[in-house]
Amino acid sequence: MTSVVGGGEWRRLVAALARADSVVVVGHVNPDPDALGSALALALGLRGAGCAQVQVTFDAEPFAVPRALRWLPGASDLIVAPEQVLAHPDCLVAVDCAAPDRLGRLLEVAGRAGVFAVLDHHRSNPGFGDIEVVASDAPATGVLVARLLDDLGCPRTPDIATNLYAAISSDTGSFRFPATTAQTHGLAAELHRSGIDHSAIATELFASRPIAVARLAGQMMVDAQYEETALHGAGLLIGIVSRADRADLGVSFDEVESLVTDLAAIGDADTAVLLKEDDDGGWRVSARSKGAVDLGSFAASRGGGGHTQAAGYAAAGDAEVISADLLHGLEGFMADR
Ligand SMILES: [Mn+2]
């Protein structure tokens, strides 16, 4: 599929992992199913291949495995908090991390690792680490981990395949997004043959929303700002979830991420943006486009990154100011079509 698979950096990554006795796999801050599923699949494969010490971790404040991802195979025994990570691993692999700051506190450990490797699929990734494998045409980091495990000679157990299928079906929006190719479906078919329960995975990913989160989504939707004429008539929808909104319903920050999907499912606007406030008063902006805007470039201009049709960044200040910046700033990033 992608040119970097099998290339020089790729072969260095395979060699580094094959000889490592201790590996720490790091997903991005507040991991999504692609980050954590990819990390767990890689760790399970390495452990099965005889690697003596394997850990999965990520930064989150406070640290907790997102409630919605605790079902992923290996989550209960492979994931450790950042402070429990090996001080000097032979290899640290960052998966699905588009920039160094996406490792959070674990960037410091990466500097102490024998080899610091980056495996990612974000087009905005500037390239960092001792080994850089960035395949921007891959629809999910999970696709890259599947090929990596093949090259390491690791068999696809049902647990590994379940993590990979969760990663890929999540990042492709259930195989709907444009980066999905015939090869993506081919890999999904291979994973089916590995003994996964695809329907149970789909239920965990797409039909397990707690009622409190659904009520929060309802409130967010009622109050969403709809700018019908924005983006040369393509339309813009902005939803806001403050920490006070979450506190009222007992919803954690990581549970809010899926609400951007609700906004993106609305046909009246090309671009949907969710502003969510964390427990410290900072804002995370998550944006989705149906194709009118190059969100990856827009997010990069705001210190974040991502893909053309899905991107995000951190912002400080009032929600009104962030919304106004979106309304005026996005028009400069209309996609060439
Ligand atoms: Mn991803």
Side-chain angles (χ1 to χ4, degrees), residues 16-268:
L17 289 172
R19 67 171 176 261
D21 290 321
S22 56
V23 178
V24 175
V25 190
V26 179
H28 59 67
V29 174
N30 300 312
D32 61 9
D34 187 31
L36 205 54
S38 293
L40 288 167
L42 180 55
L44 286 167
L46 291 169
R47 191 168 70 177
C51 184
Q53 288 181 294
V54 188
Q55 298 177 322
V56 169
T57 191
F58 54 86
D59 199 0
E61 198 55 58
F63 177 81
V65 181
R67 224 177 298 177
L69 299 179
R70 290 179 193 164
W71 63 276
L72 289 172
S76 57
D77 60 321
L78 279 163
I79 299 176
V80 301
E83 51 272 18
Q84 294 172 286
V85 157
L86 297 164
H88 300 277
D90 291 341
C91 186
L92 183 144
V93 190
V95 294
D96 207 38
C97 294
D101 66 354
R102 297 291 281 159
L103 279 84
R105 284 180 279 167
L106 291 149
L107 189 58
E108 191 208 328
V109 182
R112 286 187 254 120
V115 174
F116 172 24
V118 170
L119 181 66
D120 185 36
H121 71 128
H122 292 90
R123 199 195 50 187
S124 63
N125 193 315
F128 59 100
D130 305 319
I131 301 175
E132 309 164 0
V133 176
V134 181
S136 58
D137 56 343
T141 296
V143 170
L144 302 172
V145 171
R147 297 305 171 215
L148 188 58
L149 291 173
D150 289 348
D151 285 2
L152 284 163
C154 301
R156 279 190 202 140
T157 63
D159 282 354
I160 289 173
T162 296
N163 277 302
L164 294 175
Y165 191 87
I168 297 163
S169 57
S170 171
D171 255 31
T172 57
S174 260
F175 305 94
R176 290 181 297 126
F177 298 158
T180 308
T181 63
Q183 278 174 311
T184 317
H185 286 285
L187 176 55
E190 290 174 22
L191 296 172
H192 267 245
R193 284 185 214 106
S194 305
I196 63 168
D197 184 341
H198 73 93
S199 181
I201 296 170
T203 298
E204 291 286 2
L205 290 176
F206 304 114
S208 295
R209 175 174 281 179
I211 185 71
V213 180
R215 291 196 198 285
L216 185 65
Q219 287 177 9
M220 180 273 298
M221 199 62 81
V222 167
D223 296 332
Q225 178 184 349
Y226 174 40
E227 300 289 345
E228 195 173 348
T229 58
L231 307 177
H232 305 300
L236 172 65
L237 201 53
I238 302 174
I240 299 174
V241 177
S242 70
R243 56 183 157 169
D245 298 335
R246 289 193 289 110
D248 288 347
L249 288 159
V251 174
S252 64
F253 180 69
D254 65 74
E255 290 179 297
V256 180
E257 180 58 29
S258 68
L259 269 56
V260 73
T261 308
D262 298 52
L263 290 166
I266 294 166
D268 292 303

Side-chain angles (χ1 to χ4, degrees), residues 282-302:
W283 292 88
R284 179 79 195 162
V285 182
S286 296
R288 301 288 183 271
S289 166
K290 298 181 182 75
V293 181
D294 176 2
L295 292 175
S297 297
F298 171 72
S301 76
R302 299 304 190 263

